Amino acid sequence: MIMRRASFLIIVVALALLPVLWPDPYLLSVVAAAGIMIIAAISLNLLLGFTGQLSLGHAAFFGIGAYTSALLSLGFDVDLGFSSPLVVEPKPVWVAFAGGIVMASLFGWLLGKVAFRVRGAYFVIVTISFAQVMRMVALNWVDLTEGPMALVSIPPLSLWVPGDGVVRLVSKAATYWLVLAAGVLAYVIVANLVRSRIGRAAIALRENEVLAKSIGIPVTRCLIVFSVLSAGIAGAAGGLYAHTVRIIDPDVFLFIYTITMVIMVVAGGKGTLAGPVVGGLIFGLLPEVLRGMVAPEVQWMIYGALMILILLFMPKGIVPAFGRVLKRRKISVRRRPSASQGASS
């Protein structure tokens, strides 16, 4: 446990030093964008990896967090059919950001109450339908969301710095550190949740739902708790996206974003803490690495071929595969001294 924590701290410090050692704005922008998707993948891993529930509408929570945070920070007025329109004045960006997380968590709770009454393909269909409904709302409720015209001029997040006052986090380095801090926080929250009592109950549910019910595990309540936390983390990723890109449109609900999250989780290793991070770094940075080397069509061919190779040779993901390799090496190292002692005697 101590070695794991030390390794985790070393990796975090190394990542934090990236803007100092390699202050290229384009590189930092690309890594920050990949980091936002990694946070979203971490949230999906809570459902897919630790409860075994495949949600193909996870982009909905990402989009809800983005739109809620953006609208609260910009302010809005909308006619709901009552005597007077609903008017919301612009809120401080961190209040708006927290509002996005709360709203995404609320929708996670609502979807969980409905969707977890079914399992398998039916659950997948419900989640896909939910994401499509959210996209159509964002596209057609023009008075609120501006529809395809997009929400623009979204204020960036800011911090109070002693001596400098309120500093807007607009530089590439500041954005990178912000995303890194959010990613580390999300990772720690998930790690503590998985190792808690309810986390162990969720893993038991993933392995055998009937047996989990028979020993008294409240299956639906456990799934709803994971759904709320998963949606909240995805909403936080959406809020980061809104305040760093500073323009959002209904495309944030597109199915491709959910598929990207699924690829990151499955390729890295679902049900592992580091899996979404490793998968996110590979499949988040790979398109940018290939951008100047091959044509766009070839990029997607390489992308797909790599995914197929990982699934063929590492069916449980990259992290579990390397974990098995390290375990075998440790066993072989332990056997060598005993073998040499037997030969000498």
Side-chain angles (χ1 to χ4, degrees), residues 211-223:
L211 181 59
K213 285 182 178 180
S214 69
I215 61 176
I217 293 177
V219 171
T220 303
R221 188 176 69 182
C222 181
L223 289 174

Side-chain angles (χ1 to χ4, degrees), residues 17-223:
L17 290 175
L18 180 62
V20 179
L21 301 175
W22 200 347
D24 178 35
Y26 178 73
L27 172 68
L28 297 178
S29 177
V30 169
V31 176
I36 291 174
M37 290 307 300
I38 288 172
I39 296 172
I42 288 173
S43 72
L44 178 62
N45 192 40
L46 265 179
L47 285 180
L48 177 58
F50 294 107
T51 68
Q53 305 301 313
L54 175 59
S55 170
L56 288 183
H58 217 65
F61 304 122
F62 183 88
I64 290 169
Y67 264 97
T68 303
S69 188
L71 287 168
L72 289 177
S73 62
L74 291 169
F76 61 90
D77 61 273
V78 61
D79 186 6
L80 297 177
F82 301 111
S83 56
S84 59
L86 174 64
V87 179
V88 176
E89 297 297 327
K91 306 299 181 186
V93 287
W94 285 107
V95 174
F97 181 72
I101 296 174
V102 171
M103 185 61 72
S105 300
L106 176 61
F107 273 94
W109 177 79
L110 290 172
L111 183 65
K113 293 288 285 185
V114 174
F116 287 130
R117 296 177 183 273
V118 295
R119 294 288 189 275
Y122 300 102
F123 175 79
V124 173
I125 291 172
V126 170
T127 57
I128 293 175
S129 302
F130 172 66
Q132 291 304 310
V133 168
M134 288 292 100
R135 183 172 182 271
M136 295 308 296
V137 169
L139 187 64
N140 293 293
W141 198 354
V142 179
D143 291 341
L144 179 65
T145 66
E146 299 296 333
M149 300 300 292
L151 290 174
V152 297
S153 301
I154 301 170
L157 293 169
S158 58
L159 287 176
W160 184 81
V161 179
D164 294 329
V166 177
V167 177
R168 289 156 59 95
L169 304 176
V170 293
S171 69
K172 300 303 181 185
T175 299
Y176 171 85
W177 280 319
L178 175 66
V179 172
L180 176 62
V184 170
L185 181 59
Y187 184 94
V188 171
I189 290 173
V190 171
N192 285 308
L193 176 67
V194 169
R195 291 165 184 157
S196 67
R197 183 176 180 180
I198 193 170
R200 293 191 294 271
I203 293 173
L205 166 63
R206 178 193 66 190
E207 298 300 326
N208 192 321
E209 183 174 342
V210 176
L211 181 59
K213 285 182 178 180
S214 69
I215 61 176
I217 293 177
V219 171
T220 303
R221 188 176 69 182
C222 181
L223 289 174

